[in-house]
Amino acid sequence: MSRTVKTAEEVAVQHEMVELVLEGMAEGHTLSETVKKVSRLQGKPLTPGTVRRWIIAEEAYYARYQKTKTMLGQAFAEEAILVARESTSSTTAMDRVLIETLKWAAAKANPVEYGEKQTVEHQGAQTLSVKIVEDDAPVRNQKALQAAQVSAVIAAPLVFAVPAKTAEHEDDDYTFV
């Protein structure tokens, strides 16, 4: 049977652990790296999944975690710049992989600043004016024009006249309506 009520000491320990993890992330370490380090320093078993559950369960932790992820993205971007600056001809290939990974991680941690997708938001009324102009310019592609005319003829609805007998025209054999 699992306990759902935590003692004040357990809540304090959890709070301290989450604070240490968030501080480590703000310094540029991943959550997993920071959890391992905190677990070693505190001498208590701790997993990244446990810390993530604590963060999601507590709204205040989650808000701080989101802000910390922004700082983590900045740290990854700064690290990518440092790696690029310190790259030598013998380490270029390895450094390129590391830089691309750091750029990707920065974009995931802070998509507003480092993400590749850019969105443009517009507020207010939008008006669309369409002006149809017929010009007498010569057609440059005669084959395309002919194909368009043929497809327009094929797509045009067909009208059939159906003979019908009516009382007004009894003498006539058929009347078309």
Side-chain angles (χ1 to χ4, degrees):
M1 178 187 259
S2 65
R3 260 183 353 175
T4 57
V5 180
K6 294 181 182 177
T7 65
E9 183 182 339
E10 290 173 331
V11 171
V13 168
Q14 176 180 325
H15 180 74
E16 180 185 0
M17 297 260 198
V18 170
E19 289 296 321
L20 290 170
V21 168
L22 293 177
E23 286 175 19
M25 288 177 64
E27 293 296 323
H29 303 288
T30 65
L31 185 132
S32 296
E33 291 172 336
T34 308
V35 167
K36 286 178 188 176
K37 182 179 177 182
V38 168
S39 180
R40 249 185 290 118
L41 291 175
Q42 297 290 324
K44 297 180 181 175
L46 188 62
T47 65
T50 301
V51 174
R52 286 187 184 105
R53 282 190 290 279
W54 289 345
I55 289 171
I56 290 172
E58 189 72 38
E59 194 171 320
Y61 292 159
Y62 188 73
R64 288 222 23 239
Y65 174 73
Q66 292 300 326
K67 290 178 183 178
T68 304
K69 275 183 30 179
T70 301
M71 292 188 287
L72 182 62
Q74 292 169 345
F76 286 152
E78 289 171 7
E79 188 177 346
I81 292 170
L82 291 174
V83 169
R85 286 183 179 160
E86 295 171 358
S87 182
T88 64
S89 59
S90 62
T91 63
T92 302
M94 289 186 303
D95 290 342
R96 185 176 296 130
V97 172
L98 180 57
I99 291 168
E100 287 301 317
T101 303
L102 289 168
K103 283 173 39 180
W104 175 84
K108 293 297 178 185
N110 188 356
V112 173
E113 195 168 341
Y114 301 108
E116 297 203 14
K117 181 178 179 185
Q118 296 181 3
T119 59
V120 177
E121 293 183 23
H122 175 75
Q123 294 180 350
Q126 297 178 0
T127 305
L128 175 64
S129 298
V130 178
K131 183 177 180 182
I132 299 174
V133 178
E134 291 186 28
D135 63 1
D136 295 327
V139 176
R140 293 186 180 143
N141 191 341
Q142 290 294 329
K143 288 184 180 180
L145 177 63
Q146 289 172 353
Q149 289 171 344
V150 168
S151 65
V153 169
I154 293 172
L158 298 175
V159 178
F160 294 102
V162 178
K165 282 247 187 207
T166 61
E168 302 172 353
H169 304 285
E170 287 182 9
D171 299 337
D172 298 342
D173 286 339
Y174 293 102
T175 303
F176 292 96
V177 287

